C-alpha cells in the first residue's frame, strides 16, 4: 500500500484534560470507577488502563484530590522497585464511584467524543485508498477469473462505494469478496469506545478487529510509543464483517446492555474504514428490499442514524465498502430505486467450457490427480448435456475430491475414468424423484 498509515492518519495523543473534549464529570467518574474496580494505585498503571498519557492522568488525579475524592498514600514502601506516588479513593471517592457504577458499569479506556471520532474516520476513509491492478490481482491470484472482471472490480473497490455481485451459485462471489478484503492491506485506528450525549458505545471488538502488535514492529518502550498516537485507539487491519442468512435488521441497531448500562456498536459501525459483506442476499428472514432500504441513507449520505434507549436519534459516520452478494437476479429482489443507489452491479458468471477445463486441469495438478482424456470427453459429452452445459467454478474441485475419496476407499492409485466420473457426478446433484413417506 502506498500510504504510510502511522505517518498520515494517527490521532494525536491528548496533552491535557482540555484536549479530551469530554466533560470533567465523565472523566472524573471513569477514573474513580477504574480505581474502584481494578485497585490500581499508580499513575503508570492507570495510564495504561485509561489509555491516556501520564500527565493527563496526573492532571485528573490532582483535580480529584482537590475535590477530596482521592488521597495520596506517599511513595511506596522501601522494598518497592518504583518510587512513584500511590493514590487511593477516599471514603467520599468510594461513595461517588459506587454512584457512578450504578449509572454505568463502563470503566477503563476513556471514550472518544463522537465528533472527534468523525474527524478520524475522514482521515482514514475507505474512500481514500488507492487500489492498483497489481494489488487486486495479488489478492485474487488463487482464483481463475475472466480478465474483464478485474476491469470492473478495480474501479468499484477503489471508489469505496457499494457493490452488488450477482449470478448463479458456486462461482466464487464469496471468494471474490474475501479477495477484495485482502487487497486493502493497510491499517486504521479503531477507538476502544466512543461517547455521545454521555452514553458510552464500545466499538473495538476482537472478533471483528485484528490488532497490530506494535511492540514487535517497534521495540522502543511503551512510553515512547504512547507519545506517537492517542492510545484510546487501537491500530488494526482494515476490518471486515461478513454476514449471511443470519443478518437481521436489529443487528444494524445499537445494542444496549441493561446490566452494564452501556451500548455496543452495531456491525456497520464496527466495520468503519473496512468492508461489510452481505453474503447470500435473499436468504435472510427479512425481505431483501427491506434490508436494502435500511442502507439507503448510509450509502447515499455517508452517515447513519442510530437511536439511544431514550429514543433520541443521532448521526454517526458511515464509511464502509458494502458488498452485497446474491444468487438471484437483482430485478427479482429489488425495485429500481434501490438498484439505482448501489453504485456497481457486477455479474459473476460460471466459466465457459474452456475456462472450466483450465480450472479442472489446475485443480487436478494441485491434487496430484492424473488427467485422463477418455474420462474428460465422457464428462463433457455425456454428463454436462444433462444439465444443459452449465459450468460452475466449484465443480472441478468437487468432482476431483470425490474421485480422490473413491480411490482412497478402493485402495487404488489416484485416477479418473468414466466409471469414477459417474460415481462423483451422482454426489454433485440429487436426482428428482418422489419419496414415499
Amino acid at each position: 500500500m502506498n500510504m504510510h498509515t502511522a505517518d498520515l492518519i494517527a490521532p494525536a495523543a491528548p496533552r491535557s484534560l482540555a484536549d479530551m473534549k469530554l466533560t470533567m464529570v465523565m472523566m472524573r467518574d471513569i477514573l474513580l470507577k477504574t480505581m474502584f474496580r481494578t485497585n490500581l494505585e499508580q499513575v503508570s498503571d492507570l495510564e495504561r488502563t485509561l489509555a491516556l498519557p501520564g500527565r493527563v492522568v496526573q492532571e485528573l488525579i490532582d483535580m480529584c484530590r482537590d475535590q477530596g475524592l482521592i488521597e495520596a498514600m506517599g511513595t511506596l514502601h522501601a522494598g518497592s522497585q518504583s518510587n512513584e506516588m500511590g493514590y487511593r479513593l477516599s471514603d467520599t471517592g468510594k461513595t461517588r464511584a459506587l454512584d457512578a457504577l450504578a449509572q454505568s458499569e463502563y470503566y477503563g479506556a476513556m471514550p472518544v467524543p463522537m465528533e472527534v471520532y468523525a474527524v478520524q474516520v475522514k482521515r482514514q476513509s475507505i474512500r481514500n485508498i488507492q487500489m492498483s491492478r497489481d494489488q487486486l490481482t495479488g489478492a485474487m491470484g488463487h482464483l481463475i477469473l475472466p480478465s474483464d472482471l478485474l476491469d470492473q472490480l478495480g474501479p468499484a473497490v477503489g471508489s469505496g462505494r457499494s457493490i452488488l455481485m450477482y449470478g448463479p451459485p458456486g462461482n466464487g462471489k464469496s471468494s471474490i469478496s474475501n479477495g477484495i478484503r485482502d487487497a486493502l492491506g493497510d491499517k486504521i485506528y479503531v477507538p476502544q469506545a466512543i461517547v455521545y450525549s454521555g452514553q458510552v458505545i464500545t466499538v473495538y471488538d476482537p472478533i471483528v478487529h485484528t490488532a497490530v502488535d506494535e511492540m514487535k514492529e517497534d521495540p522502543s518502550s511503551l512510553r515512547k510509543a504512547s507519545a506517537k498516537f492517542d492510545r484510546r485507539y487501537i491500530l488494526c487491519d482494515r476490518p471486515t464483517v461478513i454476514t449471511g442468512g443470519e443478518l437481521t435488521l436489529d443487528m444494524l441497531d445499537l445494542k444496549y446492555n441493561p446490566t452494564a448500562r452501556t451500548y455496543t456498536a452495531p456491525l456497520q459501525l464496527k466495520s468503519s474504514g473496512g468492508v461489510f459483506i452481505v453474503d447470500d442476499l435473499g436468504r435472510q428472514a427479512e425481505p431483501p428490499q427491506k434490508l436494502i432500504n435500511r442502507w439507503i441513507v448510509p450509502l447515499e449520505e455517508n452517515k447513519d442514524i442510530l437511536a439511544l434507549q431514550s429514543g433520541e436519534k443521532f448521526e454517526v459516520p458511515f464509511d464502509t465498502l458494502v458488498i452485497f452478494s446474491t444468487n438471484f437476479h437483482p430485478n427479482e429482489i429489488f425495485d429500481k430505486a434501490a438498484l439505482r443507489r448501489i453504485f456497481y452491479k457486477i455479474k459473476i458468471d460460471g466459466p465457459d467450457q474452456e475456462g472450466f477445463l483450465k480450472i479442472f486441469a489446475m485443480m487436478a495438478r494441485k491434487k496430484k490427480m492424473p488427467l485422463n482424456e477418455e474420462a474428460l470427453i465422457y464428462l463433457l459429452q455425456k454428463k454436462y448435456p444433462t444439465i444443459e452445459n452449465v459450468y460452475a467454478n466449484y465443480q472441478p474441485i468437487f468432482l476431483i475430491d470425490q474421485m480422490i475419496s473413491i480411490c482412497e476407499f478402493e485402495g487404488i492409485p489416484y485416477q479418473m475414468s468414466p466409471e469414477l466420473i459417474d460415481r462423483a457426478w451422482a454426489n454433485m446433484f440429487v436426482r428428482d424423484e418422489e419419496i414415499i413417506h
Side-chain angles (χ1 to χ4, degrees), residues 187-374:
K187 314 275 183 275
I188 61 166
Y189 292 90
V190 177
Q192 296 182 55
I194 54 180
V195 64
Y196 173 80
S197 192
Q199 303 299 312
V200 176
I201 303 163
T202 58
V203 177
Y204 174 76
D205 177 349
I207 294 168
V208 170
H209 300 111
T210 306
V212 177
D213 188 349
E214 276 199 302
M215 292 306 125
K216 279 183 192 158
E217 287 183 7
D218 178 10
S220 63
S221 69
L222 176 76
R223 202 170 286 275
K224 192 171 156 195
S226 69
K228 286 199 302 187
F229 71 87
D230 188 341
R231 288 279 149 186
R232 293 176 295 166
Y233 293 83
I234 294 172
L235 185 62
C236 298
D237 293 327
R238 284 192 182 270
T240 306
V241 169
I242 304 176
T243 63
E246 77 286 359
L247 178 66
T248 54
L249 280 171
D250 61 5
M251 289 181 186
L252 307 177
D253 295 332
L254 278 176
K255 203 174 281 150
Y256 183 67
N257 179 333
T259 316
R261 295 178 195 79
T262 55
Y263 292 86
T264 304
L267 293 174
Q268 72 277 21
L269 188 52
K270 287 180 181 177
S271 69
S272 280
V275 183
F276 192 116
I277 298 170
V278 183
D279 213 355
D280 267 343
L281 191 63
R283 304 256 176 252
Q284 291 78 9
E286 317 268 4
Q289 181 68 47
K290 205 170 171 187
L291 274 174
I292 212 84
N293 286 349
R294 170 64 183 81
W295 294 92
I296 283 175
V297 170
L299 291 175
E300 285 208 326
E301 301 184 21
N302 302 337
K303 64 183 185 194
D304 197 4
I305 311 291
L306 299 177
L308 297 171
Q309 281 289 100
S310 62
E312 183 184 352
K313 291 191 159 88
F314 63 101
E315 280 180 15
V316 294
F318 183 85
D319 187 73
T320 304
L321 169 62
V322 185
I323 301 175
F324 301 101
S325 163
T326 183
N327 299 333
F328 294 94
H329 192 283
N331 293 341
E332 286 175 46
I333 54 175
F334 298 133
D335 63 21
K336 286 190 170 60
L339 271 177
R340 199 172 61 242
R341 288 174 165 95
I342 298 173
F343 270 70
Y344 295 89
K345 294 98 172 160
I346 300 174
K347 189 175 184 198
I348 311 289
D349 228 335
D352 57 11
Q353 191 183 83
E354 188 190 341
F356 171 84
L357 284 170
K358 204 187 275 184
I359 298 170
F360 198 98
M362 187 180 86
M363 286 303 164
R365 194 166 58 244
K366 208 170 175 179
K367 298 271 184 178
K368 300 187 168 44
M369 165 66 85
L371 289 170
N372 174 285
E373 195 178 347
E374 184 197 1

Side-chain angles (χ1 to χ4, degrees), residues 110-181:
M110 279 288 169
V112 177
M114 183 66 74
E115 64 277 13
V116 175
Y117 170 59
V119 172
Q120 184 57 30
V121 168
K122 268 207 179 76
R123 274 197 195 134
Q124 58 194 21
S125 173
I126 188 83
R127 296 186 179 91
N128 296 345
I129 63 162
Q130 289 163 327
M131 180 63 62
S132 69
R133 185 178 286 274
D134 287 350
Q135 269 170 278
L136 205 51
T137 312
M140 305 276 187
H142 59 300
L143 303 172
I144 291 182
L145 302 173
S147 56
D148 63 341
L149 183 58
L150 283 183
D151 298 347
Q152 290 177 282
L153 276 175
V157 177
S159 75
R161 309 303 282 262
S162 49
I163 301 172
L164 170 65
M165 290 194 281
Y166 67 98
N171 287 310
K173 291 187 292 295
S174 302
S175 306
I176 291 165
S177 301
N178 291 329
I180 289 171
R181 173 197 66 192

Side-chain angles (χ1 to χ4, degrees), residues 356 360 369 379 383-384 394-406 416 420-429:
F356 171 84
F360 198 98
M369 165 66 85
L379 176 66
K383 288 301 182 188
Y384 271 96
Y394 80 94
Q395 292 163 351
I397 186 87
F398 185 94
L399 293 166
I400 290 163
D401 279 346
Q402 289 281 337
M403 289 188 278
I404 285 173
S405 298
I406 296 165
M416 56 179 74
L420 287 171
I421 292 277
D422 272 337
R423 287 173 72 178
W425 187 269
N427 284 327
M428 196 156 72
F429 300 102

